[in-house]
Amino acid sequence: MADTAQLAEKILEFLRDEIDDEDVALDAQTALFSDGLIDSFAMAGLIEFLEEETGKTIAQSEVVLENFDSVEKIVAFLSQD
């Protein structure tokens, strides 16, 4: 897996393409789901991207706001053993 900074940048790039709104200032701390920037359909695409990028399987029970509401939280979650 890429280091955390590289992973965060790849996730941000993916999300910028998904959101496709130049008016949205997206960074590692931006609340994704709770601020309505992504919906459940986009979240499914994000999970698929993360699994392909990291080689990890993400269980549906792990897809909660505590783990996935910002790029920072996603990287922290994926960095756990």
Side-chain angles (χ1 to χ4, degrees), residues 12 15-16 24-32 70-72:
L12 283 167
L15 290 169
R16 286 181 184 119
V24 174
L26 190 61
D27 63 32
Q29 292 81 33
T30 303
L32 302 170
S70 70
V71 171
E72 187 174 68

Side-chain angles (χ1 to χ4, degrees), residues 32 43 46-47 50 58-78 80:
L32 302 170
M43 182 63 82
L46 175 60
I47 299 302
L50 294 171
I58 300 169
Q60 188 172 1
S61 62
E62 296 173 314
V63 182
V64 294
L65 286 179
E66 293 82 28
N67 295 337
F68 285 89
D69 200 32
S70 70
V71 171
E72 187 174 68
K73 289 180 179 187
I74 294 167
V75 170
F77 165 72
L78 292 172
Q80 298 174 17

Side-chain angles (χ1 to χ4, degrees), residues 9 41 54 64 72:
E9 192 53 45
F41 184 73
T54 65
V64 294
E72 187 174 68

